[in-house]
Amino acid sequence: PGTRKNDIELNDETVSKEHAAIYYDNAKKEFSIANESATNPTRINGVAVSGPTIVQNGALIEVGRTVLLFKKS
């Protein structure tokens, strides 16, 4: 199992402890996500993420069987 401390943890056996990471670029004022799972892809609006991918407001983020709605406030 992963050893890092996560800000968000999901109760879903199809999501690994180190499944994906979301980053904020302060200079560009945008969020991106990177898949870190070797077995289950992370998807944005149904498309598998292969490298760091910008996440737009209202995007659906799929990790395992869980779907998250991304909202910037």
Side-chain angles (χ1 to χ4, degrees):
T3 57
R4 76 175 178 203
K5 172 68 176 115
N6 294 309
D7 292 319
I8 300 171
E9 294 184 6
L10 303 173
N11 187 17
D12 179 343
E13 68 278 355
T14 64
V15 176
S16 63
K17 185 170 179 79
E18 297 177 350
H19 198 104
I22 297 176
Y23 303 94
Y24 182 70
D25 184 325
N26 198 40
K28 295 180 180 179
K29 306 286 190 224
E30 63 188 18
F31 288 88
S32 61
I33 191 166
N35 181 60
E36 297 182 351
S37 173
T39 55
N40 288 324
T42 300
R43 298 179 187 277
I44 300 291
N45 297 322
V47 179
V49 172
S50 60
T53 302
I54 295 171
V55 183
Q56 301 292 334
N57 190 42
L60 294 177
I61 301 171
E62 300 172 48
V63 286
R65 290 188 201 122
T66 300
V67 179
L68 306 166
L69 175 62
F70 184 79
K71 292 283 230 177
K72 294 195 295 189
S73 58

